[in-house]
Amino acid sequence: MIPLIIICAVILIFAFLFKCSIRAELKYINGNLDFKVKYLFFTVFPLNKKGKKAKKKRTKKDKGENSVTDEAEADASVHNADKSAKTAETVSSEDDKLLMEGENSGGSKQDKINGLKIKIQQAKILWNCVKKPLIKLFGGIHIDDLMIDFKIGGEDACEAAVNYGKVSAFVYNAISLMRMWFPITVKTVDISCDFDSQKSVYDAELSVKLGLGTAVAVLLTALWGYIKNKNELDKSGNGEVNSDKDEKVLNAI
C-alpha cells in the first residue's frame, strides 16, 4: 500500500509541475529593457551574477600578474613563427588558386543546382517535422497584461501629428494580428501626441505564459518527427532526389 501511495504522490507532483506555466516578463520603460523568465516562485533568468562577478575579478587579478612575464616571450616566438608561416602561405595560396580555377570552371553551375535540390528537400522534410508542433506551441502561448504608453512628438505640430497617425495604425493593426495567433489580454493602450516635445517616448510591458507540459510535448513531438525522418534527411544529404517538382523548378531556373 505504501509504494502505491508514493507512486501516486510522485505522479501528482509531476502533473502539478507540468501544469504550471513558464512566465516571461518583458518591460521597456524609459529606454531601459528588462527581461525575466519565472517558473513557480523562482526566477530562471536572469540568474544572480554577484558571485560570478567576484570570481571573475579574482581570476583576472591572478592572470594579470602571470601574463606580464609570459607576453614578452610569447611575442618574440610568435613574431618569428609568423614570418615563416607567411612565406609558406603565399606559395601555397598561389598553387591552390590555380588548382581551384581549373576544377571549378566546369562543374560549378551543376554543383549549385544539386546543392539547391538538396536544400529544398531537407527544408520540406524539416517543415513536415515541425509544422504540427509549431501549431501546438502557438496554441499554448498566452499574452497577458499588455501595456502600451506612447507619447509621440516631432519637430513641429504637423510632423508630430503624422507620426502619431503612423504609430497608432501600426500598433492597433499589430494587436489585431497578434489576436489571430495568441490569446491576448490588454491592460492599457495609451497613445498620445505631444506637440511640445521633439522626442517620442515608448513605454511597453507584457507577459507571456506557456505551460511546461505543452513545451515538453512540443519538443518531444518535434524530436520524434526528426527521428522518423532521419533516413530521408540522410538520403537527401547524399544527393538522392525524390520529388519531380523540385527538378522542374530548378531546371526552369
Side-chain angles (χ1 to χ4, degrees):
M1 187 68 182
I2 294 175
L4 183 61
I5 294 172
I6 294 171
I7 292 169
C8 292
V10 171
I11 292 172
L12 288 174
I13 290 169
F14 276 102
F16 173 75
L17 292 175
F18 282 117
K19 188 68 177 176
C20 293
S21 298
I22 302 169
R23 187 181 185 89
E25 296 179 355
L26 180 65
K27 296 180 181 179
Y28 186 78
I29 307 295
N30 295 325
N32 297 319
L33 181 64
D34 186 17
F35 179 70
K36 293 180 180 178
V37 179
K38 295 182 178 180
Y39 177 69
L40 293 176
F41 305 105
F42 306 102
T43 301
V44 180
F45 179 87
L47 299 174
N48 188 6
K49 298 181 180 180
K50 292 182 180 180
K52 293 182 180 179
K53 287 181 179 178
K55 289 180 180 179
K56 285 181 180 179
K57 287 180 181 179
R58 290 177 184 175
T59 54
K60 283 180 180 179
K61 288 180 180 179
D62 296 334
K63 288 180 180 179
E65 293 176 357
N66 295 325
S67 61
V68 172
T69 56
D70 295 335
E71 282 181 356
E73 296 178 357
D75 290 336
S77 61
V78 169
H79 183 68
N80 293 326
D82 288 336
K83 286 183 179 179
S84 60
K86 285 179 181 179
T87 55
E89 284 177 359
T90 52
V91 175
S92 62
S93 61
E94 290 178 356
D95 296 335
D96 292 336
K97 286 180 181 179
L98 293 173
L99 291 172
M100 291 294 290
E101 288 176 358
E103 290 175 358
N104 294 331
S105 60
S108 59
K109 187 176 181 180
Q110 187 64 34
D111 291 337
K112 289 180 181 179
I113 293 172
N114 291 331
L116 283 173
K117 291 178 182 179
I118 292 169
K119 287 179 181 178
I120 289 171
Q121 283 187 347
Q122 290 179 343
K124 285 183 177 180
I125 295 168
L126 290 174
W127 172 247
N128 290 328
C129 297
V130 179
K131 181 171 64 175
K132 291 182 180 179
L134 280 178
I135 294 172
K136 291 181 181 178
L137 183 66
F138 286 148
I141 292 174
H142 296 266
I143 298 176
D144 296 329
D145 299 332
L146 176 64
M147 187 277 293
I148 294 174
D149 185 10
F150 291 171
K151 294 179 180 179
I152 310 302
E155 293 182 357
D156 53 12
C158 180
E159 185 178 355
V162 171
N163 292 334
Y164 170 77
K166 291 179 180 179
V167 172
S168 298
F170 175 78
V171 169
Y172 289 112
N173 287 324
I175 292 172
S176 62
L177 287 173
M178 290 170 67
R179 286 183 185 278
M180 297 173 62
W181 291 94
F182 314 109
I184 299 177
T185 58
V186 179
K187 191 175 181 180
T188 56
V189 177
D190 185 10
I191 303 173
S192 60
C193 186
D194 190 359
F195 295 104
D196 297 328
S197 177
Q198 295 182 357
K199 294 182 179 179
S200 300
V201 179
Y202 301 98
D203 294 336
E205 180 181 346
L206 61 87
S207 62
V208 181
K209 292 194 300 184
L210 176 64
L212 180 62
T214 303
V216 173
V218 167
L219 182 62
L220 292 176
T221 305
L223 184 62
W224 175 247
Y226 174 77
I227 292 171
K228 284 200 305 182
N229 296 310
K230 191 174 184 302
N231 291 328
E232 293 184 10
L233 285 170
D234 293 337
K235 289 179 181 179
S236 64
N238 291 328
E240 297 182 11
V241 180
N242 296 323
S243 62
D244 294 335
K245 292 181 180 179
D246 297 339
E247 290 182 347
K248 290 179 180 178
V249 170
L250 290 169
N251 289 327
I253 296 172

